[in-house]
Amino acid sequence: MTSKDVAIGMIFLTQSVFGILGNFSLLYHYIFLHSTGSRLRSTDLIIKHLIVANSLVLLSKGVPQTMAAFGLKDFFNDIRCKLVFYLHRVGRGVSIGSTCLLSIFQAIMISPRHSIWAELKVKAPKHIGSCIFSCWILHMLVNIIFPMYVTGIWNKTNITMKKDLGDCSGVSNNKITLSLYAALLSFPDVFCLGLMLWASANMILILYRHKQKVQHIHRTDISLRSSPESRATQSILVLVSTFVSFYTLSSIFQVCITLLNNPGQLLVNITALINGCFPTISPFVLMRHGFSVYRLCFVWIRNTKSPNLITNM
């Protein structure tokens, strides 16, 4: 084991520990609110499943990559490799789906009373549980073929048809099969990214229009603070840019590894590191910026008849 392997192992270990602590801190926040009898928001269920999905990604990718970097590759036989990669794909998909669902729900909740989404504002909270459950089932089914293309690193059968994935090996196929496989894996990511961009752009547009209507209430000569709409818009932009940046890069690198017959170890390590970035950073982004958007949605839901109420946030 070289010093380079130790450095790579420490990077993955630091990312995994940092991310797991962040997700458990966010989970502790909700446990504390529940224990104190505080009223939980409808979006809290989505956040809880996002925490589970993020933790699953970190445990199924960060920990194995750390072990592989420290020379423990022989731990991963065929069954363990298939299970670890399958859990990672499911966790990654649910993480993307939960974040997308969160943005769509927020966009519906802050939509005007006379918009086409008015009826959904009442129905949406009742269907959050079923939507999350469907998200888990969908990604469990879509990724069921993923274990077929992964084997243990020490399985020497047909070694010429394998590519090194760090902790495990991938089975190479013809270009047509790999292209179809890459398209199948990337389609849910592209679809969710598109929905989140649409929902976030819709929220920003609603906030801008609302700010224009109540602009006479914000007294710049009395307070130098930015308006609640501006703070919420900034929070949305931070959340969206974080999500889109990391998962776009992750999807691109994932497709490259799928299509290449022999991806280098550097590409494999970079892909694994990028895959863990959003699950690691997202709890801190949510704790720092997400709650201002949730407060906005909560206040808006309580009294959509009064456009002035939002200024009391």
Side-chain angles (χ1 to χ4, degrees):
M1 184 171 58
T2 64
S3 57
K4 178 182 177 182
D5 295 328
V6 175
I8 293 174
M10 290 302 300
I11 291 174
F12 282 116
L13 180 62
T14 302
Q15 184 188 58
S16 300
V17 172
F18 191 70
I20 291 172
L21 287 177
N23 282 281
F24 273 91
S25 298
L26 187 58
L27 180 62
Y28 172 78
H29 169 77
Y30 287 107
I31 294 176
F32 176 77
L33 290 178
H34 185 269
S35 62
T36 56
S38 300
R39 181 181 177 183
L40 298 179
R41 297 177 292 264
S42 301
T43 53
D44 292 342
L45 181 61
I46 304 177
I47 299 295
K48 291 175 183 177
H49 282 267
L50 178 62
I51 293 171
V52 174
N54 286 344
S55 301
L56 191 60
V57 171
L58 292 170
L59 292 174
S60 61
K61 178 55 68 173
V63 174
Q65 288 292 141
T66 302
M67 296 175 64
F70 286 138
L72 300 175
K73 293 185 178 182
D74 55 337
F75 175 79
F76 298 99
N77 55 27
D78 279 357
I79 297 178
R80 288 169 180 164
C81 276
K82 293 177 186 298
L83 179 62
V84 164
F85 269 73
Y86 176 70
L87 292 177
H88 172 256
R89 289 297 309 180
V90 173
R92 181 180 181 277
V94 174
S95 177
I96 296 176
S98 299
T99 310
C100 176
L101 181 62
L102 184 64
S103 296
I104 294 174
F105 180 81
Q106 291 171 346
I108 293 174
M109 288 298 102
I110 69 172
S111 60
R113 289 184 297 118
H114 302 293
S115 68
I116 59 176
W117 307 107
E119 295 183 3
L120 291 177
K121 295 180 71 171
V122 178
K123 298 179 180 179
K126 302 177 183 178
H127 297 286
I128 287 181
S130 59
C131 289
I132 295 177
F133 178 76
S134 299
C135 184
W136 279 99
I137 296 298
L138 174 63
H139 287 286
M140 286 180 182
L141 294 176
V142 169
N143 292 288
I144 198 69
I145 66 171
F146 197 83
M148 296 169 55
Y149 298 92
V150 179
T151 63
I153 197 73
W154 292 109
N155 189 339
K156 300 300 182 181
T157 57
N158 296 325
I159 194 169
T160 56
M161 296 297 292
K162 290 186 178 182
K163 49 186 175 183
D164 187 8
L165 299 178
D167 49 347
C168 298
S169 296
V171 179
S172 298
N173 288 293
N174 59 71
K175 289 295 183 181
I176 297 178
T177 302
L178 289 177
S179 299
L180 292 175
Y181 183 54
L184 177 63
L185 293 180
S186 59
F187 175 75
D189 296 355
V190 175
F191 182 71
C192 287
L193 287 172
L195 283 179
M196 186 175 183
L197 287 173
W198 168 82
S200 301
N202 192 42
M203 281 191 287
I204 293 174
L205 181 61
I206 292 173
L207 290 171
Y208 175 77
R209 289 175 177 174
H210 186 273
K211 182 181 178 181
Q212 296 299 313
K213 291 180 181 179
V214 298
Q215 195 167 14
H216 63 281
I217 300 175
H218 302 305
R219 305 291 185 181
T220 55
D221 55 336
I222 297 178
S223 175
L224 296 177
R225 294 189 309 169
S226 59
S227 67
E229 296 88 352
S230 298
R231 295 195 298 272
T233 300
Q234 293 171 4
S235 298
I236 292 171
L237 290 175
V238 171
L239 290 171
V240 173
S241 60
T242 302
F243 176 85
V244 173
S245 298
F246 285 126
Y247 271 119
T248 298
L249 287 174
S250 175
S251 298
I252 292 173
F253 279 98
Q254 201 71 49
V255 170
C256 290
I257 286 183
T258 303
L259 294 178
L260 293 176
N261 289 327
N262 293 299
Q265 192 60 43
L266 178 61
L267 179 60
V268 172
N269 289 332
I270 291 176
T271 303
L273 189 65
I274 293 177
N275 284 338
C277 282
F278 182 77
T280 299
I281 297 175
S282 62
F284 300 99
V285 175
L286 287 171
M287 286 186 285
R288 175 64 180 86
H289 295 280
F291 294 138
S292 63
V293 182
Y294 305 151
R295 285 196 300 268
L296 174 63
C297 294
F298 181 70
V299 171
W300 209 306
I301 294 170
R302 284 179 56 188
N303 194 341
T304 55
K305 295 181 180 180
S306 176
N308 301 341
L309 185 58
I310 192 174
T311 59
N312 295 327
M313 288 175 49

